[in-house]
Amino acid sequence: MARAQPHAEHLGHVVFITAAAAIGGFLFGYDSSVINGAVTGIQKHFGVGSVETGLVVAIALLGSALGAWVGGGLADRWGRTRAMQVAAVVFAVSSIGQMLPFAIWDLAFWRLLAGFGIGMASVLGPTYIAEVAPAAYRGRLGSFQQLAIVLGIAVSQLVNYVIARIAGGNVNNVVLGLQAWQWMLGACVVPALLYLLFASTIPESPRYLVQAGRTAQARTVLAEVEGEHTDLDARVAEIRQVLRSEVRPTAKDLRGPALGLLPIVWVGIVLSVFQQFVGINVIFYYSSVLWQSVGINQSDSLLISFSSSVINIVGTFIAISLVDRIGRRPLLLIGSAGMAVSLATAAWAFSAAREVGGTAGGVVLPDPQGPVALVAANLFVLFFALSWGVVVWVLLGEMFPNRIRAAALGVAAAAQWLANWLITVTFPALAEWNLPLTYAMYALFAVLSFGFVLVWVRETKGRRLEEMG
């Protein structure tokens, strides 16, 4: 049945609460990328090598996988907004802990806890946004999650650069009693407190309210987000009918004939894994170290990382403008092709790296490979941002049937975090072994992702959540 769309004032309200919920994505991006500027400082301060560094950087992702796994269940039990508040508090506490570690294992613990809060937020944001957004705008509003992520990445890179400049270009220099890298990690508390503030002001999801028997509140929220012209009785009845046919989703509900899971759950898992296996977070976790390794100084490498973040934001806005116009599948296919070409080009460029001054002197890229590597890396970021970065989060929020959405999204998000962890923890050692071959491997995954989308991913543009099955 066709529905009238919200008036401008109602759409403005939806945009506000969607943006507020997406601050969890900002935390994800900020925490993911803030470590980029701190890696060198952590290595020198604690005297650890590439393996230990990879473990400390990546351990947050194990916490995120756990947070994503339980986040859906907590959202169904406590409500979306209450679960968001818990995630914000966990992240705020862990930020202070990361700022003041007394040993490398202590830092690892606080990063694990931060990851748990981030993992919860990664599930809660898409779920909430999908449930409050009108179908005609759901793709664009769902894109807010990824937009918040890339804004978080950019802001953290900028904050890192400013702190490094204040510290004289060396993140191990002391500023107001703490080393610069500690201030970088401690700054995470600011977006955490903002998330707590906004999560305490936005309305609860109407689908959760109907599920909890709070029908009057559900009608109020539906009127706010869909407009008073909407037939509220029909909308509540529609949601109630869907809820009546379902039980609280658990991992058991996801079982099916395809290797123990429902096929649609596997599609979500594989989408999540491919999103990470193309190596995008290598750029945001290790790019400053990467550019330093090819002859760029510490401060300038942070500035280059920030420029990549700006390109990431531009690509995300392109995706937001196109996701509801041309659909999810075409964007994924364009992105896969572009990423494959740019990653293969980067692999070729890095193959020209040459040692200078012996092992202690590091390596440099000659012309034209140096500029080519920079351009290829930024094109990779652009193609990822305008496709897989946005569209996977949109799809995960809307592709699953109502009866399993929260649980299936939790499983897919957990798979995404585990894939992220695997890429992140292995990159330092792989880069030391063979950097060009590492990038060639990421290019291969981009090629495989193209084939997967072509065969397995269905278009969801313009369909209501109650129609997913």
Side-chain angles (χ1 to χ4, degrees), residues 5-21 128 132-134 137 141 144 198 202-203 221-229:
Q5 296 308 321
H7 295 307
E9 65 271 18
H10 296 294
L11 184 58
H13 180 66
V14 175
V15 169
F16 170 75
I17 64 177
T18 298
Y128 179 88
V132 300
Y137 301 102
L141 294 174
F144 277 28
F198 281 104
I202 59 177
V221 176
L222 284 168
E224 290 174 353
V225 300
E226 297 190 7
E228 295 172 359
H229 60 281

Side-chain angles (χ1 to χ4, degrees), residues 383-450:
F383 276 109
F384 177 87
L386 64 81
S387 59
W388 284 75
V390 166
V391 176
V392 170
W393 285 111
V394 172
L395 281 173
L396 292 182
E398 66 186 13
M399 66 188 287
F400 302 114
N402 265 354
R403 65 183 181 83
I404 64 167
R405 180 170 298 112
L409 180 52
V411 170
Q416 186 174 130
W417 288 113
L418 288 172
N420 192 339
W421 172 81
L422 184 61
I423 291 295
T424 304
V425 78
T426 57
F427 177 76
L430 286 173
E432 281 189 2
W433 167 66
N434 193 317
L435 184 60
L437 197 57
T438 301
Y439 271 81
M441 178 184 69
Y442 299 152
L444 175 61
F445 282 122
V447 172
L448 293 174
S449 71
F450 185 95

Side-chain angles (χ1 to χ4, degrees), residues 41 82 122 193 213 236 243 248 256 325 336 338 351 383 401 411 415 427:
R82 181 60 56 85
S122 74
L193 293 177
V236 169
L243 291 171
R248 187 182 296 271
R325 294 181 184 178
S336 292
S351 69
F383 276 109
V411 170
F427 177 76

Side-chain angles (χ1 to χ4, degrees), residues 173-195:
N173 287 345
V174 174
V175 178
L176 298 177
L178 296 175
Q179 292 186 16
W181 66 266
Q182 292 176 272
W183 286 112
M184 291 176 179
L185 296 179
C188 295
V189 74
V190 176
L193 293 177
L194 283 175
Y195 187 41

Side-chain angles (χ1 to χ4, degrees), residues 36-37 153-154 156-165 169 184 284 287-289 291-292 296-311 374 378:
N36 186 13
I153 290 171
S156 72
Q157 300 283 25
L158 184 59
V159 170
N160 283 354
Y161 175 69
V162 170
I163 292 174
R165 295 293 292 180
M184 291 176 179
F284 297 116
S287 63
S288 68
V289 176
W291 298 124
Q292 288 172 53
I296 296 171
N297 68 45
Q298 192 176 99
S299 183
D300 287 345
S301 71
L302 289 172
L303 191 57
I304 291 172
S305 297
F306 173 66
S307 69
S308 297
S309 300
V310 173
I311 291 170
L374 273 173
N378 284 324

Side-chain angles (χ1 to χ4, degrees), residues 54-423:
L55 289 171
V56 170
V57 172
I59 196 168
L61 303 172
L62 293 180
S64 297
L66 180 60
W69 179 269
V70 305
L74 294 179
D76 284 335
R77 191 172 298 113
W78 298 341
R80 282 41 167 162
T81 55
R82 181 60 56 85
M84 288 180 197
Q85 294 165 20
V86 171
V89 170
V90 168
F91 189 70
V93 171
S94 66
S95 299
I96 301 301
Q98 288 186 81
M99 186 182 186
L100 305 169
F102 54 81
I104 192 70
W105 65 263
D106 181 49
L107 176 61
F109 168 77
W110 292 113
R111 283 193 54 73
L112 184 71
L113 187 64
F116 183 83
I118 293 299
M120 284 184 63
S122 74
V123 172
L124 298 169
T127 299
Y128 179 88
I129 292 169
E131 291 181 347
V132 300
Y137 301 102
R138 198 175 57 240
R140 276 165 283 182
L141 294 174
S143 303
F144 277 28
Q145 173 80 0
Q146 181 63 18
L147 177 60
I149 291 172
V150 300
L151 286 173
I153 290 171
V155 170
S156 72
Q157 300 283 25
L158 184 59
V159 170
N160 283 354
Y161 175 69
V162 170
I163 292 174
R165 295 293 292 180
I166 292 172
N170 188 327
V171 297
N172 289 104
N173 287 345
V174 174
V175 178
L176 298 177
L178 296 175
Q179 292 186 16
W181 66 266
Q182 292 176 272
W183 286 112
M184 291 176 179
L185 296 179
C188 295
V189 74
V190 176
L193 293 177
L194 283 175
Y195 187 41
L196 177 61
L197 173 65
F198 281 104
S200 302
T201 60
I202 59 177
E204 184 53 82
S205 157
R207 284 173 177 78
Y208 172 77
L209 291 171
V210 171
Q211 176 183 308
R214 293 151 60 182
T215 306
Q217 288 176 263
R219 289 170 59 90
T220 300
V221 176
L222 284 168
E224 290 174 353
V225 300
E226 297 190 7
E228 295 172 359
H229 60 281
T230 300
D231 187 338
L232 298 178
D233 291 332
R235 288 294 288 124
V236 169
E238 181 181 27
I239 294 170
R240 185 178 286 131
Q241 180 179 355
V242 172
L243 291 171
R244 191 178 295 122
S245 64
E246 66 186 46
V247 295
R248 187 182 296 271
T250 65
K252 188 180 298 184
D253 297 311
L254 307 183
R255 292 178 183 170
L259 298 177
L261 291 174
L262 295 170
I264 190 66
V265 178
W266 277 117
V267 172
I269 290 172
V270 177
L271 277 172
S272 294
V273 169
F274 272 132
Q275 190 199 47
Q276 298 303 317
F277 272 19
V278 295
I280 186 61
N281 282 312
V282 166
I283 297 291
F284 297 116
Y285 296 160
Y286 296 114
S287 63
S288 68
V289 176
L290 178 66
W291 298 124
Q292 288 172 53
S293 75
V294 294
I296 296 171
N297 68 45
Q298 192 176 99
S299 183
D300 287 345
S301 71
L302 289 172
L303 191 57
I304 291 172
S305 297
F306 173 66
S307 69
S308 297
S309 300
V310 173
I311 291 170
N312 199 9
I313 294 171
V314 171
T316 301
F317 275 113
I318 293 172
I320 290 172
S321 69
L322 295 178
V323 68
D324 281 325
R325 294 181 184 178
I326 70 173
R328 285 59 160 157
R329 288 182 81 248
L331 279 179
L332 289 177
L333 293 171
I334 291 168
S336 292
M339 289 190 298
V341 172
S342 54
L343 284 167
T345 304
W348 168 80
F350 284 126
S351 69
R354 298 289 180 263
E355 287 189 10
V356 292
T359 304
V363 296
V364 296
L365 282 177
D367 289 333
Q369 283 88 349
V372 167
L374 273 173
V375 172
N378 284 324
L379 279 176
F380 165 55
V381 171
L382 178 65
F383 276 109
F384 177 87
L386 64 81
S387 59
W388 284 75
V390 166
V391 176
V392 170
W393 285 111
V394 172
L395 281 173
L396 292 182
E398 66 186 13
M399 66 188 287
F400 302 114
N402 265 354
R403 65 183 181 83
I404 64 167
R405 180 170 298 112
L409 180 52
V411 170
Q416 186 174 130
W417 288 113
L418 288 172
N420 192 339
W421 172 81
L422 184 61
I423 291 295

